[in-house]
Amino acid sequence: MDLREKILSTSMNLMMRIGPQSVAMDMVARDCGISKRTLYETFPNKNNLISCVIDYNQQLMNTRFTQIFEQSSNSFEALLGVYTLVRQFIQKMSPVFVSDLKRLYPEVFYQYKEHEEQHMESLAKIIAKAKEEGLALPGIKCKIAAFVFTNNIKSLHYMEELPFTEYSAAEVFDGAFLNFMRGIATREGQDIIENYVVKLLNKDNN
């Protein structure tokens, strides 16, 4: 891992844990074991650092998504693998992460939203493939389904503003994602989902 990647990885972990607003450049330099001068030579300001962190995280996620799809035998298995990865990401993410971006770093927030649009387009393509495989219902409108799901999930970005604080973001994501998949699935698709849920419950109980 080179210096730039070390800074991005450290910064991402800090921002995920406490939110971008609370992460100071001093903190990043200290956790990386470098001087502030070295940090500023690599990233000229905090806005630039946050922007690069968003792109860095997206690249990491895309790499993992590609690996998941290459290793999966069908679209639903791949979607469930992506669900597991995103769930882990959500569990680590501070409830103020996105609201900090929207309130204090609007340009970076717009960049973040562009990534969301890409995810929505990718989901529509996966649903279309699932229909070809006989796992998703033939009458499903892929782009509409992807749009509805993506917009429902946006509530996770503002968990600190929601009244049902007894539920974690991961729990809300569980319900939204698994119920979405159940809603678009054929009987064969349903079997894949329920087998996955059983395995997940067994894993959580062990």
Side-chain angles (χ1 to χ4, degrees):
M1 182 182 293
D2 62 17
L3 177 61
R4 179 182 175 84
E5 187 175 357
K6 180 180 180 181
I7 294 170
L8 289 172
S9 178
T10 300
S11 301
M12 183 177 70
N13 290 334
L14 286 169
M15 291 177 192
M16 290 290 289
R17 190 171 75 246
I18 62 177
Q21 180 183 12
S22 299
V23 176
M25 297 295 270
D26 285 351
M27 190 184 302
V28 174
R30 184 195 66 228
D31 283 16
C32 288
I34 60 176
S35 66
K36 281 182 64 178
R37 178 177 177 177
T38 299
L39 176 58
Y40 279 109
E41 286 174 349
T42 311
F43 298 96
N45 53 60
K46 185 176 175 180
N47 275 43
N48 176 256
L49 175 60
I50 296 174
S51 176
C52 291
V53 164
I54 295 297
D55 283 339
Y56 174 71
N57 180 68
Q58 184 62 36
Q59 290 169 10
L60 290 179
M61 296 292 276
N62 285 343
T63 298
R64 287 292 294 117
F65 290 163
T66 299
Q67 292 171 346
I68 288 169
F69 278 91
E70 288 175 349
Q71 296 166 4
S72 300
S73 58
N74 58 64
S75 297
F76 266 29
E77 186 178 308
L79 274 174
L80 290 166
V82 169
Y83 154 73
T84 301
L85 180 63
V86 174
R87 187 179 192 271
Q88 293 169 351
F89 178 79
I90 289 172
Q91 286 177 312
K92 297 177 182 177
M93 186 171 68
S94 165
V96 301
F97 183 86
V98 178
S99 59
D100 275 4
L101 292 182
K102 184 177 182 180
R103 185 166 47 89
L104 301 169
Y105 310 98
E107 291 184 3
V108 181
F109 178 69
Y110 179 75
Q111 174 186 344
Y112 183 86
K113 285 179 67 66
E114 284 186 323
H115 290 318
E116 282 188 337
E117 294 297 319
Q118 294 169 10
H119 294 161
M120 184 169 64
E121 292 173 7
S122 297
L123 178 58
K125 291 177 181 178
I126 298 167
I127 296 171
K129 186 176 180 182
K131 287 173 65 175
E132 295 174 2
E133 296 169 341
L135 301 177
L137 295 168
I140 292 291
K141 303 294 185 182
C142 302
K143 290 185 178 180
I144 293 175
F147 173 81
V148 171
F149 173 73
T150 302
N151 280 275
N152 285 341
I153 287 298
K154 286 181 181 179
S155 62
L156 294 175
H157 294 161
Y158 308 102
M159 285 295 291
E160 81 281 7
E161 300 175 5
L162 299 178
F164 47 88
T165 52
E166 66 268 27
Y167 300 111
S168 68
E171 288 173 319
V172 175
F173 182 64
D174 287 344
F177 192 89
L178 293 174
N179 287 333
F180 165 75
M181 287 195 66
R182 289 178 175 118
I184 68 171
T186 61
R187 184 177 295 277
E188 184 180 353
Q190 293 277 0
D191 289 340
I192 293 172
I193 297 166
E194 299 314 318
N195 287 336
Y196 175 86
V197 170
V198 169
K199 291 178 182 178
L200 184 64
L201 289 174
N202 289 337
K203 183 179 178 181
D204 288 345
N205 291 331
N206 291 333

